[in-house]
Amino acid sequence: MPKSGPKQARIEPIRDADDINLPVTGWNVIDETDPDNEIVISAHETEVEALKAAEEYEQREE
């Protein structure tokens, strides 16, 4: 099923466990264009890299 409208992405911190008190070990970029089928599209070491990748993903035409 083709996606309609612009792509949407968000970033989320990666931790070694589900404890928000643990340090962040990386950042995932998640495609949230279809809220029923969110997909991790990339992982990055820094928040800045993840933000840039999310912005580039949203701008990419497919």
Side-chain angles (χ1 to χ4, degrees):
M1 177 165 136
K3 295 178 183 177
S4 61
K7 293 184 207 175
Q8 295 180 355
R10 72 171 189 273
I11 65 169
E12 287 188 349
I14 301 169
R15 293 184 169 87
D16 289 334
D18 290 333
D19 181 350
I20 63 169
N21 296 314
L22 291 175
V24 173
T25 58
W27 294 87
N28 281 330
V29 177
I30 300 170
D31 177 350
E32 62 178 7
T33 305
D34 179 358
D36 295 327
N37 188 29
E38 294 183 346
I39 302 167
V40 175
I41 55 173
S42 61
H44 305 271
E45 290 185 9
T46 69
E47 184 177 14
V48 172
E49 290 172 353
L51 286 168
K52 181 178 179 188
E55 289 172 2
E56 288 173 355
Y57 180 77
E58 289 178 340
Q59 299 300 319
R60 195 178 320 145
E61 292 187 27
E62 291 182 12

